[in-house]
Amino acid sequence: MESEIKKSRKPSIALGVFAASFIVSAVCWFFCDFKNRNVFYFKAFDSKNLYTETEYTVKPQDKVRTFVDDLILGPMTNRYVRIFPQGTRAEFCHSKDGNLYIGLSKEALKVSSESLGIREGCLLLRENIVRNFTSFNKIYIYIDGESVFQE
């Protein structure tokens, strides 16, 4: 008789744990601010196709600057090619009158087999920004203070 009571409690305990975890998840989904999704586009080493990586972040004050910084850091997957060589950083990133101005450090000029060329990297950086932010008319990219791209 006692073992029958223990057996009948197991499904109710599992159901209670499931219900509690569902409620906690629902509360976090509605009230926590973890809904800012960034989609990054990279090329693979073995293909010319574009592949995506998705990252969820807390909404920052300057969304575009944070997006550019995360994109320049490179992909999380080692099968994808970095847009710019390792060590590249955004020196400035600001918008004015519907134009976006991005200044990259001189490390972006280094030639690397693990990153794209300057022109291709700028095009992919532009494509990432255009697909994630629709409010910019033109994008200007500078490397070490020199204009290298505008479109």
Side-chain angles (χ1 to χ4, degrees), residues 42-51 75 77-84 112-116:
F42 296 101
K43 290 192 176 190
F45 280 107
D46 56 354
S47 171
K48 294 189 185 236
N49 296 333
L50 285 181
Y51 295 92
T77 306
N78 62 0
R79 292 186 51 229
Y80 301 151
V81 180
R82 298 175 67 91
I83 294 179
F84 294 104
S112 171
S113 63
E114 296 182 0
S115 65
L116 302 174

Side-chain angles (χ1 to χ4, degrees), residues 99-140:
N99 298 325
L100 180 65
Y101 301 91
I102 301 171
L104 303 176
S105 63
K106 64 183 175 183
E107 286 82 10
L109 296 172
K110 292 181 183 175
V111 178
S112 171
S113 63
E114 296 182 0
S115 65
L116 302 174
I118 295 171
R119 175 82 177 145
E120 195 175 2
C122 289
L123 287 171
L124 191 52
L125 176 61
R126 179 196 173 279
E127 186 170 344
N128 272 285
I129 292 169
V130 167
R131 287 189 180 191
N132 286 281
F133 304 96
T134 58
S135 59
F136 300 115
N137 300 324
K138 287 191 175 186
I139 298 171
Y140 298 91

